[in-house]
Amino acid sequence: AQVEPIRTYLRPFVRPDKYASLCQGWRYPVYSLYLDSPVLDCLRATEEGHKNRFKLRLRLYSAGPGGLAFFEVKRRMDRLIRKHRASLPWTDADAFLHGGPLPRASLNPAAVEELDRFREMTRSAQAAPVVWVHYTREVYVSAAGEPVRLNFDTELGHAAAGADGLACAAARWRPTPLPGVI
């Protein structure tokens, strides 16, 4: 019930981000594949409120083949949160996720460094794909250029990670019973 009054109040100060501005209703889908250890160490660290923790995820903005897949390491160190990410084309990403070689020749050195970091952290945590999360995101940024970002996430769903790699099997999606907007 508070979303529309917030939108109305903020409208003079924000604009849709560069991706949302290209989409109908300024909303786009987000698909995240979370990796974790066999005993869910990353999830437990979050639930227990550890000040130093990390998440390993793969983010897609399309449910089907094509486009880019973003490998992300999101770290929290006390109050500082840092996200490292690098992208690969879908077909390379699926192979890399399952232990295949990194196509180094087609990447810049910074991307190679980030992808090597992702793989090393995945190996040291003994992490593997665990769960997909999907939502529709509406994003605004400051019209004045300050580093401000406001997200409204709706239509939250989840699915167990399967053997189908990056394929987000629509038949497995289940709505997440969370009323309202995140």
Side-chain angles (χ1 to χ4, degrees), residues 124-141:
S124 67
Q126 298 178 352
V130 174
V131 67
W132 280 100
V133 175
H134 166 266
Y135 48 89
T136 301
R137 175 162 277 179
E138 178 182 349
V139 185
Y140 298 94
V141 295

Side-chain angles (χ1 to χ4, degrees), residues 28-32 132-136 154-159 173 176:
Y28 54 85
V30 178
Y31 301 89
S32 297
W132 280 100
V133 175
H134 166 266
Y135 48 89
T136 301
T154 57
E155 302 168 18
L156 183 63
H158 65 279
W173 285 112
T176 302

Side-chain angles (χ1 to χ4, degrees), residues 110-132:
V112 170
E113 182 179 335
E114 295 303 336
L115 291 163
D116 282 342
R117 177 194 326 260
F118 184 92
R119 178 164 277 166
E120 180 52 38
M121 290 186 74
T122 300
R123 280 186 186 148
S124 67
Q126 298 178 352
V130 174
V131 67
W132 280 100

Side-chain angles (χ1 to χ4, degrees), residues 16-163:
D17 84 344
K18 64 182 179 179
Y19 303 108
S21 66
L22 303 172
C23 301
Q24 183 178 8
W26 298 339
R27 299 162 44 97
Y28 54 85
V30 178
Y31 301 89
S32 297
L33 175 60
Y34 286 88
L35 288 75
D36 208 337
S37 72
V39 293
L40 305 179
D41 289 319
C42 295
L43 174 64
R44 291 181 199 281
T46 299
E47 287 179 337
E48 294 169 4
H50 294 191
K51 290 185 184 256
N52 297 308
R53 61 184 187 252
F54 65 92
K55 292 179 187 178
L56 298 166
R57 71 181 172 206
L58 186 70
R59 182 150 286 172
L60 306 168
Y61 298 97
S62 170
L68 297 174
F70 296 86
F71 290 82
E72 299 181 352
V73 175
K74 188 172 182 181
R75 288 190 146 202
R76 177 186 177 129
M77 298 179 74
D78 197 15
R79 290 189 212 157
L80 179 65
I81 297 175
R82 282 234 161 103
K83 181 167 67 173
H84 298 274
R85 86 189 267 191
S87 64
L88 287 173
W90 178 284
T91 52
D92 292 335
D94 199 33
F96 178 73
L97 180 65
H98 293 93
L102 183 59
R104 295 176 184 276
S106 62
L107 299 170
N108 68 49
V112 170
E113 182 179 335
E114 295 303 336
L115 291 163
D116 282 342
R117 177 194 326 260
F118 184 92
R119 178 164 277 166
E120 180 52 38
M121 290 186 74
T122 300
R123 280 186 186 148
S124 67
Q126 298 178 352
V130 174
V131 67
W132 280 100
V133 175
H134 166 266
Y135 48 89
T136 301
R137 175 162 277 179
E138 178 182 349
V139 185
Y140 298 94
V141 295
S142 168
E146 292 113 350
V148 174
R149 181 178 171 91
L150 176 65
N151 301 335
F152 294 115
D153 295 338
T154 57
E155 302 168 18
L156 183 63
H158 65 279

